[in-house]
Amino acid sequence: MGAMSVRTPSSEPSAAPHRAGFACFVGRPNAGKSTLTNALVGRKVAITANQPQTTRHTVRGIVHRPDAQLILVDTPGLHKPRTLLGERLNDVVRTTWAEVDVIGFCLPANEKIGPGDRFIAKELAGIRKSPKVAVVTKTDLVDSKALAEQLIAIDQLGKELGFEWAQIVPVSAKSGKQVDLLADLLIPLMPEGPALYPDGELTDEPEQVMIAELIREAALEGVRDELPHSIAVVVEEMLPRADRPVDRPLLDIHAYLYIERSSQKGIVIGPKGKRLKDVGVKSRKQIEALLGTPVFLDLHVKVAKDWQRDPKQLRRLGF
């Protein structure tokens, strides 16, 4: 029967239908995809690190509106694979693109369109059914003349490859400029239908995966150059501390940081264990903010030889 509910008597003939659907942001590593997801959702959900290829899980942020629900699927950056992990990431990317209702292609305002962007745009041109929105990110870093030139170049890029952008939207996730406008433009591209997630949910990633991501992000913070992405984090267990009063709960989280070679152990742990301690302090704050409860975080570093190239290890580490 009629699924529409009209909350208040209105002079308009009928309320707009509720829409709900999936959008994903694509773009070169570091094009501002995760930051944009966080700005739209209004809370930190996707891992952001100024290091390429840190988002490995399809983290979904959910934008709730009275008339719509926009579910953001954050795919890893598409890149030319060098390892088995790289190939697996690329398969994930293509499957996701084919299944979403709209694709937002993020292009930073402060960098000219390069070969990496063209590589992605070509792939996008092959996906016929999903509308494509060009999102010009980091607009706070350029003046209006540079921005105008970038908008024209992006329009051209679509024409060259034989497709039409549904929209071209400049935004700055950092200053929040036009972020709401972007949501307003994405929503009409969603199919009509009821909400797909309960109100108040921000992401459907299991908490353990998000916690692992936060620890990994903190671990990469100081060592990017030395270990770009040879760190994987597995949360072994999360248990409420038994002897605590109800009003003062404490969650024990035990997690392992896996590295590929024992020579990397010292880098992650740092002199006198200082770096690992900093990772613990930093990620614990974020985990507590995410879960809304005090946490005791127990971190250990383990060596898993060449895990990026070993299918068995990849499976065990959740890829």
Side-chain angles (χ1 to χ4, degrees):
M1 284 300 289
M4 267 173 47
S5 63
V6 180
R7 287 189 190 80
T8 50
S10 137
S11 55
E12 292 155 31
S14 74
H18 187 281
R19 292 179 181 275
F22 294 85
C24 83
F25 293 130
V26 306
R28 271 185 298 118
N30 262 358
K33 302 182 291 285
S34 297
T35 313
L36 188 57
T37 299
N38 293 338
L40 276 162
V41 176
R43 191 167 135 188
K44 186 162 180 168
V45 286
I47 171 175
T48 55
N50 37 12
Q51 169 63 24
Q53 293 149 43
T54 41
T55 312
R56 288 203 170 136
H57 296 278
T58 309
V59 177
R60 295 175 172 83
I62 304 168
V63 180
H64 297 276
R65 294 255 180 115
D67 59 339
Q69 193 175 64
L70 182 60
I71 298 139
L72 306 171
V73 190
D74 199 26
T75 56
L78 188 83
H79 55 97
K80 298 196 167 74
R82 285 192 305 275
T83 61
L84 182 64
L85 174 63
E87 277 168 41
R88 216 168 266 191
L89 290 178
N90 282 357
D91 293 343
V92 172
V93 174
R94 289 197 184 86
T95 338
T96 307
W97 289 5
E99 289 166 359
V100 296
D101 300 299
V102 60
I103 300 170
F105 183 17
C106 296
L107 295 127
N110 62 331
E111 295 172 33
K112 288 226 180 317
I113 294 173
D117 299 311
R118 282 180 191 283
F119 174 66
I120 295 171
K122 254 198 205 89
E123 293 276 337
L124 285 181
I127 294 174
R128 287 269 170 255
K129 73 172 189 67
S130 312
K132 301 166 228 358
V133 171
V135 185
V136 189
T137 58
K138 309 187 186 186
T139 55
D140 50 297
L141 301 178
V142 297
D143 59 22
S144 52
K145 182 172 176 286
L147 181 57
E149 282 167 10
Q150 187 71 323
L151 294 175
I152 293 165
I154 290 168
D155 185 48
Q156 271 314 112
L157 180 64
K159 288 202 174 83
E160 261 167 57
L161 295 169
F163 68 85
E164 186 79 40
W165 298 107
Q167 301 277 357
I168 300 178
V169 195
V171 300
S172 164
K174 244 201 175 86
S175 69
K177 204 170 170 194
Q178 304 240 91
V179 170
D180 283 340
L181 171 72
L182 175 61
D184 295 341
L185 295 171
L186 292 175
I187 284 165
L189 300 170
M190 298 293 133
E192 291 179 19
L196 301 167
Y197 288 84
D199 196 6
E201 271 189 42
L202 291 170
T203 170
D204 76 344
E205 272 289 4
E207 280 172 349
Q208 257 155 289
V209 174
M210 291 182 68
I211 289 166
E213 291 282 80
L214 289 171
I215 295 169
R216 189 163 176 271
E217 179 180 3
L220 282 171
E221 198 80 341
V223 299
R224 280 206 187 100
D225 306 335
E226 299 156 275
L227 316 170
H229 28 244
S230 46
I231 297 179
V233 176
V234 175
V235 173
E236 288 291 326
E237 58 175 13
M238 287 166 55
L239 295 167
R241 182 80 60 90
D243 51 0
R244 301 283 291 199
V246 182
D247 57 340
R248 290 194 23 251
L250 181 69
L251 190 64
D252 283 315
I253 298 178
H254 301 278
Y256 288 104
L257 279 78
Y258 287 96
I259 48 182
E260 290 191 290
R261 291 184 288 286
S262 42
S263 60
Q264 299 171 335
K265 216 168 176 170
I267 300 173
V268 177
I269 294 173
K272 295 195 174 144
K274 185 179 175 324
R275 186 168 268 151
L276 189 62
K277 201 172 159 199
D278 290 349
V279 170
V281 170
K282 186 165 192 241
S283 53
R284 196 190 76 231
K285 279 200 189 104
Q286 305 232 354
I287 294 164
E288 289 181 338
L290 176 77
L291 302 178
T293 173
V295 161
F296 172 80
L297 187 57
D298 176 39
L299 293 181
H300 292 278
V301 179
K302 277 192 167 181
V303 179
K305 273 214 174 348
D306 291 328
W307 63 263
Q308 297 202 32
R309 287 177 176 74
D310 174 355
K312 229 173 40 235
Q313 304 251 33
L314 280 173
R315 269 199 303 281
R316 192 167 60 88
L317 298 174
F319 299 113

